[in-house]
Amino acid sequence: MNLPPAETSVAPASFAQQRLWFLDRFEPGSAVFHIPLAVRLTVELDHAAVRRALEEIASRHETLRTTLTVENGEVVQVIHPAPTVKLVEEGVPDAADLPARLVKEARRPFDLERGPLWRAVLFRIEPRDHVLLLTLHHSIADGWSLGVLIGEFSALYAGPGAGAGVILPELKIQYADFAAWQRDWLQGEVLARQVKYWRRTLAGAPAVLPLPT
C-alpha cells in the first residue's frame, strides 16, 4: 500500500488543470466539468466499509487529495495528506425522486482552491437498495479514471466485513509526475516546433468564429 505524505506538498499543474482553473475563474460554480458516477448497490450494505474503501482509494491516488491555487502567478497543484472521507447518507422515501436528487447533487459546485474536488453521497432507497454517487471535478479525473475508481472500489469492498485484507498493486507514478514530465517536455525546440505548426495550420483563419447565438 502506498503511504500518503504526512504533510501538504506543492507540484506544477498540468496544462489541462491550468485551463480548467481559468475556466472556473471565468465562470465560477459551473457544473460543466463535473464527472458523476452512480453505482447501484443492492446488497446488505456495510456503510463503514464503504467509507474505508473510499479512504483507501484517496490514500492511493494523489489527485483525490489535490486542490489548485496560484503561487507566483502560476497555477499549481496542492497535494494534501490522506483525508477522512465524508460519506454523506440521504434517504429517498420515493424512488421516483431519485433521478432529480442525483442531478441536483452532481451539479453542486466545487471550490477548486479549498476542495475537496470530489465527494461521495449514499442514497438509501430500501434497506438493501442504495445508490452511491461519486462526483469528481474534471481537474482531478477523466473518463478513464472512473473505470479505475470503480475497479478499486469493487476490490476493496466486496461485502460486509470484506476488503480489509485486500492489497492493491503499488502505484509507480502519480498525476503530479505526469504534469512535471509534460512541462519539462513542452519547452525549447519542442515548443517552438509545436507553435510553428499551429501558426502555419491556422494561418488565415478568421479572428472571430461566425457561430449563431
Side-chain angles (χ1 to χ4, degrees):
M1 179 177 99
N2 284 3
L3 293 177
E7 298 179 352
T8 299
S9 60
V10 176
S14 69
F15 294 122
Q17 288 175 323
Q18 191 174 26
R19 290 193 298 270
L20 289 164
W21 171 269
F22 168 79
L23 292 170
D24 182 75
R25 301 300 96 173
F26 187 72
E27 189 179 358
S30 171
V32 170
F33 295 106
H34 292 191
I35 304 177
L37 172 65
V39 181
R40 196 75 176 254
L41 302 169
T42 53
V43 295
E44 181 183 348
L45 206 61
D46 184 337
H47 294 199
V50 171
R51 182 177 55 78
R52 285 196 300 270
L54 294 175
E55 286 181 346
E56 173 64 15
I57 294 169
S59 294
R60 285 171 51 76
H61 296 277
E62 288 181 354
T63 54
L64 297 179
R65 299 183 272 113
T66 294
T67 56
L68 301 176
T69 191
V70 173
E71 285 194 358
N72 301 319
E74 296 290 337
V75 181
V76 295
Q77 302 183 65
V78 181
I79 304 165
H80 303 268
T84 299
V85 171
K86 182 180 179 182
L87 178 62
V88 177
E89 300 181 27
E90 298 186 10
V92 184
D94 186 349
D97 295 336
L98 181 61
R101 297 275 294 274
L102 292 173
V103 169
K104 181 179 179 181
E105 171 58 30
R107 289 179 174 172
R108 195 157 56 85
F110 288 104
D111 184 329
L112 269 59
E113 196 159 16
R114 295 183 60 187
L117 301 185
W118 71 289
R119 54 181 175 260
V121 179
L122 189 63
F123 292 93
R124 180 176 59 81
I125 305 166
E126 299 286 348
R128 292 178 59 88
D129 189 3
H130 299 74
V131 172
L132 175 63
L133 176 65
L134 304 175
T135 307
L136 304 91
H137 193 273
H138 192 26
S139 61
I140 64 162
D142 58 13
W144 181 271
S145 306
L146 299 185
V148 175
L149 181 59
I150 198 63
E152 293 194 357
F153 177 79
S154 298
L156 292 167
Y157 181 86
V166 174
I167 300 177
L168 297 175
E170 183 177 350
L171 299 176
K172 295 181 179 180
I173 63 170
Q174 296 282 348
Y175 187 69
D177 299 316
F178 163 77
W181 168 85
Q182 184 186 54
R183 289 190 173 273
D184 277 345
W185 171 73
L186 194 59
Q187 58 181 318
E189 183 180 342
V190 173
L191 178 59
R193 192 163 60 244
Q194 294 279 338
V195 170
K196 181 179 179 181
Y197 168 81
W198 284 110
R199 282 178 173 167
R200 184 174 66 248
T201 301
L202 297 175
V208 179
L209 292 177
L211 298 176
T213 57

